[in-house]
mmCIF file of all heavy atoms in Angstrom:
data_model
loop_
_atom_site.group_PDB
_atom_site.id
_atom_site.type_symbol
_atom_site.label_atom_id
_atom_site.label_comp_id
_atom_site.label_asym_id
_atom_site.label_seq_id
_atom_site.Cartn_x
_atom_site.Cartn_y
_atom_site.Cartn_z
ATOM 1 N N MET A 1 0.820 -1.197 0.000
ATOM 2 C CA MET A 1 0.000 0.000 0.000
ATOM 3 C C MET A 1 0.860 1.255 0.000
ATOM 4 O O MET A 1 0.538 2.218 -0.636
ATOM 5 C CB MET A 1 -0.932 -0.002 1.209
ATOM 6 C CG MET A 1 -1.751 1.270 1.295
ATOM 7 S SD MET A 1 -3.075 1.242 2.473
ATOM 8 C CE MET A 1 -2.191 1.340 3.991
ATOM 9 N N PHE A 2 1.975 1.266 0.704
ATOM 10 C CA PHE A 2 2.770 2.481 0.788
ATOM 11 C C PHE A 2 3.594 2.727 -0.468
ATOM 12 O O PHE A 2 4.171 3.781 -0.623
ATOM 13 C CB PHE A 2 3.653 2.472 2.037
ATOM 14 C CG PHE A 2 2.849 2.684 3.277
ATOM 15 C CD1 PHE A 2 2.570 1.644 4.130
ATOM 16 C CD2 PHE A 2 2.317 3.930 3.559
ATOM 17 C CE1 PHE A 2 1.804 1.839 5.263
ATOM 18 C CE2 PHE A 2 1.549 4.143 4.686
ATOM 19 C CZ PHE A 2 1.292 3.085 5.537
ATOM 20 N N ASN A 3 3.653 1.762 -1.393
ATOM 21 C CA ASN A 3 4.275 2.028 -2.687
ATOM 22 C C ASN A 3 3.623 3.227 -3.348
ATOM 23 O O ASN A 3 4.265 3.988 -4.045
ATOM 24 C CB ASN A 3 4.155 0.810 -3.605
ATOM 25 C CG ASN A 3 5.397 -0.021 -3.597
ATOM 26 O OD1 ASN A 3 6.403 0.354 -3.018
ATOM 27 N ND2 ASN A 3 5.310 -1.178 -4.227
ATOM 28 N N GLN A 4 2.313 3.380 -3.125
ATOM 29 C CA GLN A 4 1.585 4.493 -3.702
ATOM 30 C C GLN A 4 2.104 5.823 -3.172
ATOM 31 O O GLN A 4 2.050 6.829 -3.853
ATOM 32 C CB GLN A 4 0.088 4.367 -3.394
ATOM 33 C CG GLN A 4 -0.532 3.111 -3.970
ATOM 34 C CD GLN A 4 -0.379 3.037 -5.471
ATOM 35 O OE1 GLN A 4 -0.641 4.005 -6.175
ATOM 36 N NE2 GLN A 4 0.062 1.903 -5.972
ATOM 37 N N ALA A 5 2.600 5.833 -1.954
ATOM 38 C CA ALA A 5 3.055 7.074 -1.331
ATOM 39 C C ALA A 5 4.346 7.587 -1.957
ATOM 40 O O ALA A 5 4.733 8.724 -1.721
ATOM 41 C CB ALA A 5 3.228 6.875 0.170
ATOM 42 N N LYS A 6 5.018 6.780 -2.756
ATOM 43 C CA LYS A 6 6.249 7.228 -3.396
ATOM 44 C C LYS A 6 5.967 8.217 -4.512
ATOM 45 O O LYS A 6 6.832 8.944 -4.924
ATOM 46 C CB LYS A 6 7.039 6.024 -3.926
ATOM 47 C CG LYS A 6 7.596 5.176 -2.802
ATOM 48 C CD LYS A 6 8.396 4.029 -3.343
ATOM 49 C CE LYS A 6 8.907 3.178 -2.201
ATOM 50 N NZ LYS A 6 9.643 2.028 -2.692
ATOM 51 N N ARG A 7 4.740 8.188 -5.007
ATOM 52 C CA ARG A 7 4.323 9.180 -5.993
ATOM 53 C C ARG A 7 3.696 10.330 -5.226
ATOM 54 O O ARG A 7 3.488 10.270 -4.030
ATOM 55 C CB ARG A 7 3.280 8.576 -6.933
ATOM 56 C CG ARG A 7 3.784 7.375 -7.668
ATOM 57 C CD ARG A 7 2.808 6.867 -8.665
ATOM 58 N NE ARG A 7 1.430 6.870 -8.204
ATOM 59 C CZ ARG A 7 0.484 6.115 -8.713
ATOM 60 N NH1 ARG A 7 0.763 5.295 -9.671
ATOM 61 N NH2 ARG A 7 -0.750 6.184 -8.264
ATOM 62 N N ILE A 8 3.364 11.374 -5.942
ATOM 63 C CA ILE A 8 2.603 12.447 -5.306
ATOM 64 C C ILE A 8 1.192 11.919 -5.066
ATOM 65 O O ILE A 8 0.588 11.314 -5.954
ATOM 66 C CB ILE A 8 2.578 13.705 -6.196
ATOM 67 C CG1 ILE A 8 3.980 14.305 -6.253
ATOM 68 C CG2 ILE A 8 1.569 14.712 -5.678
ATOM 69 C CD1 ILE A 8 4.106 15.489 -7.167
ATOM 70 N N SER A 9 0.687 12.139 -3.870
ATOM 71 C CA SER A 9 -0.619 11.633 -3.502
ATOM 72 C C SER A 9 -1.374 12.683 -2.702
ATOM 73 O O SER A 9 -0.786 13.398 -1.898
ATOM 74 C CB SER A 9 -0.457 10.365 -2.649
ATOM 75 O OG SER A 9 -1.694 9.798 -2.344
ATOM 76 N N THR A 10 -2.673 12.773 -2.925
ATOM 77 C CA THR A 10 -3.527 13.649 -2.126
ATOM 78 C C THR A 10 -3.905 12.885 -0.868
ATOM 79 O O THR A 10 -4.308 11.726 -0.937
ATOM 80 C CB THR A 10 -4.780 14.044 -2.922
ATOM 81 O OG1 THR A 10 -4.362 14.726 -4.103
ATOM 82 C CG2 THR A 10 -5.687 14.939 -2.102
ATOM 83 N N PHE A 11 -3.794 13.547 0.289
ATOM 84 C CA PHE A 11 -4.052 12.897 1.575
ATOM 85 C C PHE A 11 -5.183 13.640 2.275
ATOM 86 O O PHE A 11 -5.072 14.840 2.538
ATOM 87 C CB PHE A 11 -2.781 12.936 2.432
ATOM 88 C CG PHE A 11 -2.807 12.008 3.607
ATOM 89 C CD1 PHE A 11 -2.194 10.775 3.546
ATOM 90 C CD2 PHE A 11 -3.440 12.376 4.791
ATOM 91 C CE1 PHE A 11 -2.206 9.912 4.630
ATOM 92 C CE2 PHE A 11 -3.463 11.535 5.883
ATOM 93 C CZ PHE A 11 -2.848 10.295 5.803
ATOM 94 N N PHE A 12 -6.280 12.937 2.539
ATOM 95 C CA PHE A 12 -7.442 13.507 3.221
ATOM 96 C C PHE A 12 -7.476 12.997 4.658
ATOM 97 O O PHE A 12 -7.387 11.796 4.887
ATOM 98 C CB PHE A 12 -8.752 13.087 2.547
ATOM 99 C CG PHE A 12 -8.924 13.534 1.122
ATOM 100 C CD1 PHE A 12 -9.357 12.641 0.163
ATOM 101 C CD2 PHE A 12 -8.681 14.843 0.736
ATOM 102 C CE1 PHE A 12 -9.557 13.038 -1.155
ATOM 103 C CE2 PHE A 12 -8.869 15.259 -0.573
ATOM 104 C CZ PHE A 12 -9.306 14.347 -1.513
ATOM 105 N N THR A 13 -7.639 13.883 5.618
ATOM 106 C CA THR A 13 -7.767 13.491 7.014
ATOM 107 C C THR A 13 -9.189 13.804 7.481
ATOM 108 O O THR A 13 -9.618 14.960 7.438
ATOM 109 C CB THR A 13 -6.746 14.234 7.893
ATOM 110 O OG1 THR A 13 -5.433 14.007 7.359
ATOM 111 C CG2 THR A 13 -6.787 13.721 9.315
ATOM 112 N N PHE A 14 -9.894 12.772 7.904
ATOM 113 C CA PHE A 14 -11.287 12.893 8.318
ATOM 114 C C PHE A 14 -11.401 12.771 9.829
ATOM 115 O O PHE A 14 -10.491 12.311 10.509
ATOM 116 C CB PHE A 14 -12.143 11.814 7.641
ATOM 117 C CG PHE A 14 -12.312 12.016 6.164
ATOM 118 C CD1 PHE A 14 -11.412 11.469 5.267
ATOM 119 C CD2 PHE A 14 -13.360 12.770 5.672
ATOM 120 C CE1 PHE A 14 -11.568 11.654 3.903
ATOM 121 C CE2 PHE A 14 -13.525 12.958 4.309
ATOM 122 C CZ PHE A 14 -12.621 12.408 3.423
ATOM 123 N N ASN A 15 -12.551 13.159 10.341
ATOM 124 C CA ASN A 15 -12.838 13.091 11.779
ATOM 125 C C ASN A 15 -13.787 11.941 12.087
ATOM 126 O O ASN A 15 -14.883 12.137 12.602
ATOM 127 C CB ASN A 15 -13.445 14.417 12.263
ATOM 128 C CG ASN A 15 -12.405 15.492 12.401
ATOM 129 O OD1 ASN A 15 -11.388 15.295 13.048
ATOM 130 N ND2 ASN A 15 -12.652 16.639 11.800
ATOM 131 N N GLY A 16 -13.399 10.727 11.739
ATOM 132 C CA GLY A 16 -14.190 9.558 12.082
ATOM 133 C C GLY A 16 -15.079 9.026 10.987
ATOM 134 O O GLY A 16 -15.635 7.940 11.122
#
Side-chain angles (χ1 to χ4, degrees):
M1 177 169 73
F2 287 105
N3 262 353
Q4 299 301 313
K6 291 182 182 178
R7 301 185 319 202
I8 291 176
S9 184
T10 300
F11 195 98
F12 298 133
T13 305
F14 291 90
N15 284 308

